[in-house]
Each structure stands twice: as structure tokens, then as C-alpha cells.
Amino acid sequence: MKRWLGKAETAIGNHSDRLNAINIFPVADGDTGTNLYLTVRAAARALNADPSGPEAGQSDVGAVLARAGQAAMEQARGNSGTLFSVFLCAAAEPLVGHTRLTSTLLAAALNRAQIRAWSALSDPVPGTMLSVMEGAARSAAAVDAGQNGDDSNHALGLALDAAVEGALAAVIRTEVQLDALQAAHVVDAGGVGMLLILDCLRSAVLGEELQSELLDGLHGYDVQDPHIHNDMPDDDGVEVMCTISLSPLNAATLRQRLDEIGESVIMSQVGNSSDADGNYRWRVHVHVADADPAVRLIRSLGDPTQITVSELALPRDPQADPVNFNGHER
């Protein structure tokens, strides 16, 4: 798990410019690569920050991945980062209590992760990284079903190969699933990022190099291709994100009311435990025309932390840390 996330941090960092270049959905703000990199970095560094921490000597694959997922969730950036953090947290659940990955566990983890990611969005759309997660999960499950419970490393390798192949096929399909991508003749940026992350998992488990030819021929992804998002009109509005403790009822209320005033609403539970009042921690993401009504709505239901407000028209600097002022980070 540590090698996987370390490889993913490097790979997404190396590809962030091209991911930004083709980022035009759901908004053409050219920051998918940046957001995904910062989120993956948070996950990777959570496992290496304190050698004497809770994960020291930890042989429970699910527990280690859950720790990384929670760190990613707390520091997630943008649609892509938030969905990746949901993916990590959910993938960890079937792995808890196991000391190694097998074909069957991989299939279960990928399936749980794609279902949770689809359900985190109020209005999920095919042709995005959600479809890539689903393609990987379905392909891994199909191979595992033919292994008759074989828990060997060979069977795991076959399932990993299938997961990456399924993800690649799904990435290629994104171009015809979304009108905006078809018009621009590009594949989905978040989907490509997810494909890279899955190939990093394959590389870490099998001890092989990343597949350098994997991205060859993806429309819009060659180095000489232009930054397509630069030719798109700026998107008005802002992205609001926060972490907040809510009861299940208030969480449902918040999702419904955010759906009424904004778009790209993502809400996902952080961890599985509740506090003494029965509240769970949630990570919240929404695109709105104006931040103030959204922030007032959120505050009316609880006491949010880590509130960030970012203009959709301005790509974020991957090296910059957000600056806090008046309770907002921009």
C-alpha cells in the first residue's frame, strides 16, 4: 500500500500538467491534475509521516489503506480528489483484517470503491472517473470469477492486469459518453488519472515498471497537444469544501439543500464511527455561484472545519498551500 501510493504520488505529479490540459468537465478550470496530485500526496504522506505512529509494523492491509484514505478525505481537493479519497476509504473496508492482497480481495475492494464513489455524488455522470473505477472493478471481478478461489500471486496478477485493461477501455469510451469531451476530442482527465493510479497499484504489487505505452493514443494527451481548457469559456462561481459532523438526517438535509443551490455535490462519510451525539464526520464538496449562501447553509446545520473556497475560473498552484482568512481558505 505504501509503495502503491508513493508511486501514485510521483506518477500523478509527473502527469499533472497534461491532466490539467484536458480538464474540461465538469468545469473547464484546468486543475484536475493539481487536485488529484495534492490528494494522492496527502494519502501517501499519511503513511510515512510518523514511523512510530499507529501504522508502524501494521500488517493489516485494510487498516493501513483506511489511514491513507482518511488523510486523503480530510485534505481532498476538487471533484477528482474527493472521489479518489472516497475510492480509497471504501476500498479499504473489504481488506480489513487481511495481511495480503488476493485476486478475490482486489475484486471486492474495487467493487466496493466504485459503488461508494457513484453514490457519493448527487448527480453521477458516466464518462468520468466513475466509469473508469467501474470498468476496472468489472474486469477484475470477471477474471477473479474464473480463478475458483485461487489466492496465489499469479491469480492476483491476472486480476490486476484485467483491472488496468478495463480502466483503459473505460477511459477511451469517456470521449463519446460526454458531449463536451466529444466536441473537444479529448478523454476525461479524471479518468486518465484513475487509470494511472491503478497502473501504479499493478506496478507496486507485481514489482514491475509502469506501462509506459499505456497512455499512447489517448486523444488530447500527447505532449504536443494544446491545453484545451484554455480555449474554453471561464466558469463562473466557486467550489466550496469542508468537513463537518452531522447526524444522518442533517446530512441528508444538507445534500438536498446543496443540490437546490449548486452542482457537483459530493458528500462522503469520513470514517465509520459516530460521536456521543450520534453525529458522523462528512466531507462536503459543491460548486455554487456564490460561496456565502452555501457557507451559511452549512453553518446552520453544524460547525464545519477546513472550509475552502476556490474560484472555478482560477487553476490552483500545486505547490501552494491554501491561505486561511476569516474562516475561509482560498
Side-chain angles (χ1 to χ4, degrees), residues 250-267:
N250 281 343
T253 299
L254 179 58
R255 182 191 287 271
Q256 179 182 0
R257 294 178 67 182
L258 287 177
D259 282 335
E260 293 170 355
I261 66 172
E263 298 178 338
S264 294
V265 176
I266 307 175
M267 286 186 60

Side-chain angles (χ1 to χ4, degrees), residues 54 72 129:
M129 65 192 301

Side-chain angles (χ1 to χ4, degrees), residues 88-163:
L88 271 189
C89 289
E93 293 174 2
L95 304 180
V96 171
H98 296 277
T99 58
R100 60 182 288 268
L101 196 60
T102 65
S103 172
T104 300
L105 286 174
L106 173 70
L110 291 177
N111 188 54
R112 179 78 60 89
Q114 66 95 5
I115 290 173
R116 190 72 56 79
W118 278 95
S119 63
L121 270 164
S122 289
D123 187 21
V125 178
T128 63
M129 65 192 301
L130 296 174
S131 297
V132 177
M133 293 175 186
E134 182 179 11
R138 288 182 179 276
S139 296
V143 167
D144 177 63
Q147 299 295 319
N148 296 317
D150 185 353
D151 64 354
S152 69
N153 287 339
H154 175 69
L156 174 59
L158 294 177
L160 283 164
D161 286 341

